[in-house]
């Protein structure tokens, strides 16, 4: 079957697994009898692990060239971890299982990003129509998972998580290896001004989203919205993200990556100010959620493609895993913790204003990338796609 289909299938299975975990795993932990603090720690463990683990897996992938094998191992670790959960009784045991499986599975997604962009060499716009199936999987998991849990007890949740990790494992076995040869550990590469600016910008964008991911539901509930409406608003953001992924080839043909990053940060600043100060107006919240197309969809696609540009071939896997660590690991953790402190100190307005301020810092970093000229349109002219086995 075509490589694009196999990659899309992996993203879909991976994000169905992730959607079930994000939306419903807290219910499972509550059923196990854990308190709020214990639940918070268990949910924070994968994010904490992501601050350092992916970079290690990226180094190993560049050293050995065994990207496919490491993705298979990652999916197997995720499946094994959730299969063990029903047989672990204590909080410490559950935390240990989640931490260990997260550590072993942390490299899977960023390594697939590296495989995808290498396979689509010269045509980064094709990333969007492939990656959008991850967003489709996430939406399907949230909607179908809720319906399934209306009919089945939440104690059964680990088994769908195991099942979709195994689906991802099966698809991973069919992916290309990711590299024709291993790169020596001493392969010449170093951080440059564009690579540092890109990593810092990614950190800022993830940190800016901390308030949204931690408190969006509570914020809207306090503003008087029904739970059903809140669910629709969450879904609206993901649908907007899918739309961007679908039209990414046209977007990449018309604009430089640096321009897309700048526009994404500008939209993020507007979005978080709107969410923080105008939550009573439904039409404002709808428009703010549609901006998820830029603040996550366009930003993520442009950023992972930019990593492929500013890191040399010998460090492609390290670049993607380092971006994942700095952005969705460290940035996400710092953003969530800061949001919690500011929410308690001054409420939604202060927390979302902090998000907007961090987004503004990211906007300045994106301007650094534009001035450096490392992500110009000329670098994005399409060429023939390299065939992969």
């Amino acid at each position: 079957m075509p490589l694009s289909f196999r990659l899309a299938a992996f993203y879909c299975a991976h994000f169905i697994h992730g959607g079930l975990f994000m939306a419903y795993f807290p219910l499972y932990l509550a059923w196990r009898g854990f308190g709020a603090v214990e639940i918070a720690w268990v949910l924070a463990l994968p994010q904490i692990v992501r601050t350092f683990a992916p970079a290690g897996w990226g180094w190993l992938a560049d050293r050995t060239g065994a990207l496919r094998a490491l993705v298979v191992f990652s999916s197997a670790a995720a499946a094994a971890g959730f299969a063990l959960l029903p047989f672990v009784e204590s909080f410490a045991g559950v935390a240990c299982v989640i931490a260990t499986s997260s550590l072993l599975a942390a490299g899977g997604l960023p390594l697939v990003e590296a495989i995808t962009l290498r396979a689509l060499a010269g045509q980064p716009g094709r990333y969007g129509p492939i990656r959008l199936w991850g967003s489709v999987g996430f939406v399907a998991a949230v909607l179908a998972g809720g319906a399934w849990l209306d009919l089945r007890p939440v104690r059964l949740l680990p088994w769908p998580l195991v099942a979709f990790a195994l689906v991802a494992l099966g698809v991973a076995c069919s992916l290309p290896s990711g590299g024709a040869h291993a790169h020596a550990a001493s392969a010449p590469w170093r951080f440059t001004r564009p690579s540092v600016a890109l990593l810092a910008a990614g950190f800022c964008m993830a940190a800016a989203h901390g308030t949204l991911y931690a408190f969006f539901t509570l914020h809207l509930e306090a503003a008087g919205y029904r739970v059903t409406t809140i669910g629709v608003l969450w879904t609206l953001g993901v649908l907007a993200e899918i739309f961007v992924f679908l039209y990414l080839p046209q977007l990449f043909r018309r604009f430089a990556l640096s321009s897309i990053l700048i526009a994404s940060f500008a939209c993020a600043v507007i979005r978080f100010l709107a969410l923080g100060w105008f939550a009573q107006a439904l039409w404002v919240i709808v428009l703010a959620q549609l901006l998820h197309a830029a603040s996550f969809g366009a930003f993520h696609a442009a950023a992972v493609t930019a990593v492929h540009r500013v890191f040399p071939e010998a460090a492609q896997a390290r670049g993607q895993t380092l971006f994942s660590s700095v952005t969705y690991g460290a940035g996400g953790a710092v953003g969530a913790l800061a949001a919690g402190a500011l929410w308690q100190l001054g409420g939604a307005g202060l927390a979302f204003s902090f998000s907007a301020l961090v987004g503004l810092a990211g906007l300045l970093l994106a301007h650094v990338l534009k001035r450096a000229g490392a992500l110009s349109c000329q670098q994005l002219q399409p060429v023939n796609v390299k065939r992969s086995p």
Side-chain angles (χ1 to χ4, degrees):
M1 63 186 71
L3 175 58
S4 59
F5 179 88
R6 287 175 275 155
L7 291 167
F10 179 88
Y11 282 118
C12 187
H14 179 86
F15 281 98
I16 289 176
H17 176 93
L20 290 172
F21 179 86
M22 182 179 293
Y24 303 116
F25 199 62
L27 297 177
Y28 173 78
L29 295 176
W31 172 80
R32 295 286 299 258
F34 297 159
V37 174
E38 293 172 321
I39 292 173
W41 269 106
V42 172
L43 295 177
L45 285 171
Q47 200 169 44
I48 292 171
V49 166
R50 287 177 72 180
T51 63
F52 60 89
W57 289 115
W59 172 86
L60 183 61
D62 281 328
R63 179 74 183 272
T64 64
L67 275 71
R68 177 177 58 200
L70 291 174
V71 174
V72 170
F73 175 81
S74 170
S75 301
F82 285 100
L84 283 174
L85 275 183
F87 308 101
V88 179
E89 296 183 359
S90 67
F91 163 73
V94 170
C96 183
V97 168
I98 293 298
T100 302
S101 62
S102 298
L103 176 67
L104 298 178
L109 181 60
L111 291 179
V112 171
E113 301 276 36
I115 292 173
T116 302
L117 289 166
R118 185 171 296 172
L120 301 178
Q123 292 186 327
R126 291 184 59 202
Y127 170 85
I130 293 173
R131 173 60 177 78
L132 71 84
W133 289 101
S135 302
V136 170
F138 187 92
V139 171
V142 172
L143 297 179
W148 183 75
L149 288 174
D150 281 339
L151 302 174
R152 296 288 187 271
V154 73
R155 64 180 174 81
L156 298 178
L157 182 63
W159 301 116
L161 289 166
V162 171
F164 283 102
L166 290 175
V167 172
L169 185 156
V171 176
C173 292
S174 71
L175 297 179
S177 62
H181 62 278
H183 296 288
S186 59
W189 73 283
R190 61 185 177 84
F191 287 109
T192 61
R193 187 182 183 191
S195 64
V196 171
L198 179 60
L199 293 173
F203 176 92
C204 287
M205 186 62 95
H209 280 74
T211 307
L212 175 78
Y213 293 142
F215 294 109
F216 181 66
T217 298
L218 295 177
H219 181 42
L220 293 187
E221 188 176 42
Y225 291 92
R226 298 178 60 183
V227 175
T228 302
T229 303
I230 296 171
V232 170
L233 289 169
W234 271 112
T235 303
L236 184 64
V238 182
L239 292 176
E241 164 192 322
I242 292 172
F243 180 83
V244 165
F245 286 143
L246 187 61
Y247 287 96
L248 202 63
Q250 294 91 322
L251 191 65
F252 275 13
R253 280 196 295 267
R254 292 193 61 184
F255 301 102
L257 291 178
S258 55
S259 298
I260 296 173
L261 293 174
I262 289 171
S264 298
F265 276 111
C267 290
V269 172
I270 295 170
R271 181 188 187 193
F272 295 131
L273 288 175
L275 289 175
W277 297 102
F278 301 100
Q280 298 294 337
L282 176 60
W283 70 270
V284 173
I285 300 300
V286 168
L287 292 178
Q289 283 301 91
L290 289 176
L291 289 178
H292 190 70
S295 68
F296 177 79
F299 172 81
H300 176 77
V304 296
T305 304
V307 169
H308 198 70
R309 299 290 176 183
V310 303
F311 282 83
E313 184 180 359
Q316 287 296 305
R318 274 172 287 180
Q320 294 294 345
T321 52
L322 184 60
F323 180 79
S324 177
S325 295
V326 171
T327 301
Y328 302 116
V334 169
L337 293 173
L342 292 170
W343 190 279
Q344 186 171 352
L345 181 65
L350 181 60
F352 276 107
S353 293
F354 166 78
S355 292
L357 183 62
V358 176
L360 184 60
L363 179 62
L364 298 176
L365 289 165
H367 272 291
V368 172
L369 287 166
K370 188 176 182 66
R371 288 198 303 269
L375 305 176
S376 64
C377 288
Q378 285 75 18
Q379 293 177 293
L380 298 175
Q381 296 302 319
V383 298
N384 292 332
V385 179
K386 296 178 180 178
R387 299 281 181 184
S388 298

